[in-house]
């Protein structure tokens, strides 16, 4: 590693003493450190499917998840370089990971024994810990503080069985961990300060400390361009704010003597890919926690992260090392570092232009544990759920066969992107459509054969581009289609409701099975799915009806409205009790159902119009289960 440059001891002491005092809660969302409740609910609903099943199995079989786990707390955790000497360093890291693992297992299983074990571990440490010492103390504090803050956040805000020493643990986070973390380490390798910032923002959220949160975000913003290079930075990388690295020669030395800079190169690339991966993971962690709190850092990091992830994954996967890079030789030891960032960039933002990173993520699943990284395939794979701004993604088809995409803020009803209209057409006249996820749509062709196609979206970020439709099979003569976001596709033809099972994110015909007749009498004009096993539709005479589908011949029918809903020719729902009704003159109206599963209509209210004109699509479908 590059050793820290000399810094006046007085400056370090002053920085440590300047930690902001406890602030009043200022709109923090809990739980909101790395994972949100909505994300974990998504995981819980998919534990029987891949990749979550294998990741869940790995967690349950881990020693960190054992009820016989015993903490080994220390008063003084003393850590030298590379944790030599290791006086409590490994013990603290392992115990923090065990606390977080048990907290996750508690939430996903609702077995209170695991919540109690997480509490037992945290109580053991809060009873004795007073300081971290040694040259590795700042990084050690980051490693342990990151997982301890995640564990504490989940237990405090999801476990109702009581935690009598929660205040004592929070006090130790504030007095033993936060002062070191918030001071930063601008002269050390970048992964240090990034990991420390990861822990600092988690602790700030847990403590409802807005000042420390803002300071962590500021540190992240300064460190990001000093860690990942883009050509727009100039001929050499940015210097870390507050560091003694200032001149071109000092920056080149700091970047391990690299003199040629390309998009995605990092300050530690020529050191090794392992520590580089830590830095990229920590960047993603901070952005993820900030996102849960309504602060968008991914928009700042998206280009740097994609370029860095792909550059290193390409070489790791066997790509040649150019002679100008690190003297033609690198230490390609990249680990499972990408899951959180990849989920945000690919699954949420829709980027598909970093294929080597995608291959590396899929190849390394399921992700296990390492220092401050834990179970991120389980918590973040294909997981678009959020606890902050939630977006309803709406796809549509126009009369000429072109597709449209519109993003709507589910809370306000305001368009945030689009409508984007594709240049390409489907090549056939669409009859019915159902959105599977953010980049996959099923569409049927109008005609006697009932041809079913899968449409794969390349991007919907700044324009709408899709691959040529993939023909799947025939016989899908449904007038209406809806997907519930949980593996169940519903179709209605001639008043008969049928259900199919979809068991792949990019299904072939072999992945769509079942074709189960639920029953007759479903004479609906519109159809959408509101949650797993729940559908909603309107009739020609204006009724709004919700159904809970159990199986063949078994369902519950709830009439939410008796009249007036005949004005809608399309009904769509992104989940969370949010409904959109489309009228033929081109308006889209918004409704909110406080509890979409109570079978009652008295908590359903109009929320105004998303738009009073311009919605000229002949078909509309929202991505399901994207709003909680």
């Amino acid at each position: 590693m590059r050793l820290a440059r000399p810094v006046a001891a007085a400056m370090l002491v002053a920085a440590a003493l300047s930690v902001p005092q406890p602030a009043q809660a200022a709109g923090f969302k809990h739980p909101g450190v790395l994972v949100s409740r909505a994300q974990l609910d998504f995981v819980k609903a998919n534990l029987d499917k891949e990749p979550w099943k294998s990741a869940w199995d790995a967690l349950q079989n881990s020693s960190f998840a054992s009820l016989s786990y015993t903490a080994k707390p220390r008063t003084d955790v003393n850590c030298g370089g590379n944790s030599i000497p290791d006086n409590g360093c490994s013990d603290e890291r392992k115990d923090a990971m065990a606390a977080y693992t048990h907290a996750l297992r508690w939430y996903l299983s609702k077995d209170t024994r695991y919540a109690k074990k997480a509490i037992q571990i945290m109580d053991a440490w809060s009873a004795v810990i007073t300081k971290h010492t040694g040259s590795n103390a700042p990084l050690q504090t980051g490693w342990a503080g990151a997982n301890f803050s995640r564990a504490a956040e989940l237990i405090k805000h999801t476990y109702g069985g009581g935690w009598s020493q929660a205040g004592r643990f929070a006090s130790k986070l504030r007095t033993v961990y936060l002062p070191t973390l918030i001071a930063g380490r601008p002269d050390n390798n970048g992964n240090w300060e990034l990991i420390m910032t990861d822990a600092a923002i988690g602790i700030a959220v847990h403590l409802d400390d807005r000042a420390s949160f803002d300071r962590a975000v500021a540190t992240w913003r300064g460190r990001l361009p000093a860690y990942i290079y883009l050509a727009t930075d100039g001929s050499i990388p940015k210097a870390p704010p507050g560091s003694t690295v200032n001149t071109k020669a000092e920056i080149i030395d700091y970047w391990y003597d690299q003199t040629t800079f390309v998009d995605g190169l990092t300050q530690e690339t020529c050191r090794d890919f392992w520590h580089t991966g830590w830095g990229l993971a920590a960047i993603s962690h901070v952005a993820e926690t900030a996102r849960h709190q309504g602060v968008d850092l991914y928009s700042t990091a998206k280009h740097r992260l994609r370029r860095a992830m792909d550059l290193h994954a390409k070489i790791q996967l066997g790509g040649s090392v150019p002679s100008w890079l690190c003297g033609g030789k690198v230490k390609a030891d990249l680990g499972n570092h990408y899951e959180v960032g990849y989920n945000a960039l690919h699954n949420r933002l829709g980027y598909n232009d970093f294929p080597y990173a995608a291959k590396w993520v899929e190849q390394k699943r399921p992700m296990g544990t390492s220092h401050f990284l834990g179970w991120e395939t389980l918590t973040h794979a294909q997981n678009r759920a959020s606890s902050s701004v939630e977006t309803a993604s709406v796809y549509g088809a126009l009369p000429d066969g072109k597709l449209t995409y519109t993003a709507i803020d589910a809370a306000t009803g305001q368009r945030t992107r689009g409508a984007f209209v594709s240049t390409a057409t489907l090549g056939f006249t669409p009859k019915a459509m159902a959105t599977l996820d953010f980049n996959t749509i099923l569409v049927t062709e109008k005609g006697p054969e009932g041809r079913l196609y899968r449409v794969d979206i390349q991007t919907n970020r700044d324009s709408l581009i899709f691959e040529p439709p993939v023909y799947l099979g025939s016989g899908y003569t449904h007038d209406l289609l809806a997907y519930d976001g949980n593996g169940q596709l519903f179709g209605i033809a001639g008043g008969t409701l049928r259900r199919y099972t979809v068991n792949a994110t990019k299904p072939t015909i072999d992945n769509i099975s079942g074709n189960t007749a639920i029953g007759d009498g479903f004479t609906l004009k519109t159809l959408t799915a509101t949650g797993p096993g729940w559908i909603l539709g309107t009739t020609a005479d204006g009724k709004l009806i919700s159904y809970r589908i159990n199986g063949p011949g078994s369902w519950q029918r709830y009439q939410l409205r008796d009249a007036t809903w005949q004005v809608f020719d399309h009904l769509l729902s992104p989940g969370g009790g949010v409904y959109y009704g489309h009228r033929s003159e081109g308006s889209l109206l918004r409704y909110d159902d406080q509890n979409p599963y109570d079978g009652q209509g008295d908590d359903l209210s109009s929320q105004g119009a998303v738009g009073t004109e311009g919605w000229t699509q002949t078909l509309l479908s929202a991505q399901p289960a994207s709003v909680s």
Side-chain angles (χ1 to χ4, degrees), residues 523-605:
T523 53
L524 300 178
K525 180 182 178 182
T526 65
L527 178 68
T528 189
T530 59
W534 285 83
I535 59 173
L536 183 74
T538 60
T539 63
D541 60 357
K543 295 182 179 67
L544 177 67
I545 305 170
S546 176
Y547 296 89
R548 173 70 174 98
I549 307 301
N550 304 312
S554 176
W555 66 86
Q556 286 81 46
R557 178 186 185 277
Y558 306 99
Q559 191 160 308
L560 306 184
R561 289 287 189 271
D562 298 328
T564 73
W565 284 67
Q566 71 274 12
V567 297
F568 297 119
D569 56 7
H570 298 297
L571 191 65
L572 47 156
S573 174
V578 177
Y579 309 148
Y580 300 109
H582 178 265
R583 297 177 62 144
S584 59
E585 80 277 8
S587 64
L588 188 71
L589 305 184
R590 183 168 63 102
Y591 295 83
D592 179 67
D593 190 341
Q594 289 296 308
N595 186 347
Y597 312 127
D598 63 359
Q600 305 295 318
D602 54 5
D603 59 350
L604 174 64
S605 60

Side-chain angles (χ1 to χ4, degrees), residues 19-23 28 174 178 204-205 207-214:
V19 177
Q21 291 306 299
F28 285 108
R174 175 170 292 285
L178 192 56
V205 169
L207 298 177
D208 288 312
D209 185 341
R210 178 62 62 178
S212 293
F213 177 90
D214 291 343

Side-chain angles (χ1 to χ4, degrees), residues 78-311:
N78 175 253
C79 307
N82 297 314
S83 296
I84 301 171
D86 181 350
N87 295 317
C89 315
S90 298
D91 291 338
E92 185 188 31
R93 291 197 306 270
K94 291 177 181 178
D95 289 355
M97 183 66 73
Y100 179 48
T101 302
H102 279 91
L104 286 173
R105 190 166 187 180
W106 137 249
Y107 191 91
L108 296 175
S109 70
K110 295 306 180 186
D111 186 332
T112 60
R113 294 178 300 167
Y114 297 102
K116 293 175 181 176
K117 175 58 70 171
I119 290 171
Q120 182 186 86
I121 294 168
M122 290 186 284
D123 283 353
W125 277 91
S126 68
V128 301
I129 182 72
T130 61
K131 58 185 175 180
H132 295 88
T133 57
S135 60
N136 233 40
L139 183 57
Q140 172 70 23
T141 308
W143 284 331
N147 277 326
F148 270 145
S149 65
R150 297 165 196 163
E153 180 78 352
L154 284 179
I155 294 300
K156 180 179 179 179
H157 296 287
T158 70
Y159 176 59
W163 180 11
S164 62
Q165 299 300 327
R168 185 179 74 187
F169 190 81
S171 178
K172 290 301 177 76
L173 289 179
R174 175 170 292 285
T175 60
V176 177
Y177 292 81
L178 192 56
T180 297
L181 299 171
I182 212 75
R185 294 292 280 201
D187 284 312
N188 281 67
N189 280 308
N191 83 85
W192 275 52
E193 192 163 71
L194 290 166
I195 292 169
M196 292 165 67
T197 305
D198 180 8
I201 198 171
I203 291 173
V205 169
H206 184 65
L207 298 177
D208 288 312
D209 185 341
R210 178 62 62 178
S212 293
F213 177 90
D214 291 343
R215 189 163 169 182
V217 169
T219 299
W220 182 94
R221 290 187 186 278
R223 174 57 77 167
L224 176 68
Y227 195 71
I228 305 174
Y229 175 81
L230 286 181
T232 52
D233 296 334
S235 61
I236 60 172
K238 303 291 186 182
S243 76
T244 60
V245 177
N246 296 307
T247 68
K248 179 177 180 180
E250 287 172 336
I251 289 174
I252 289 173
D253 176 63
Y254 186 55
W255 284 61
Y256 288 83
D257 300 319
Q258 178 68 17
T259 57
T260 301
F261 301 99
V262 298
D263 287 353
L265 192 75
T266 79
Q267 181 260 317
E268 296 186 270
T269 299
C270 294
R271 178 191 184 188
D272 59 55
F273 285 12
W274 181 265
H275 289 92
T276 295
W278 273 0
L280 300 180
I283 288 170
S284 302
H285 287 180
V286 175
E288 191 76 0
T289 295
R291 179 178 183 270
H292 294 319
Q293 306 308 324
V295 177
D296 180 13
L297 296 182
Y298 281 119
S299 62
T300 301
K302 60 186 180 183
H303 298 312
R304 294 182 192 272
L305 268 178
R306 292 191 342 269
R307 299 286 76 83
M309 291 167 69
D310 217 42
L311 184 153

Side-chain angles (χ1 to χ4, degrees), residues 34 281 284-285 288 298 337-345 348 367 376 379-380:
L34 189 61
S284 302
H285 287 180
E288 191 76 0
Y298 281 119
H337 298 132
Y338 285 0
E339 194 80 70
V340 173
Y342 179 75
N343 177 61
L345 298 169
R348 291 201 195 110
M367 179 179 175
E376 291 176 5
T379 57
H380 285 82

Side-chain angles (χ1 to χ4, degrees), residues 495-545:
T496 298
L497 176 69
R498 308 191 78 86
R499 184 179 67 187
Y500 303 84
T501 298
V502 180
N503 63 12
T505 55
K506 296 291 185 183
T508 66
I509 195 62
D510 293 334
N511 301 122
I512 303 176
S513 60
N515 192 7
T516 302
I518 300 300
D520 298 324
F522 289 85
T523 53
L524 300 178
K525 180 182 178 182
T526 65
L527 178 68
T528 189
T530 59
W534 285 83
I535 59 173
L536 183 74
T538 60
T539 63
D541 60 357
K543 295 182 179 67
L544 177 67
I545 305 170

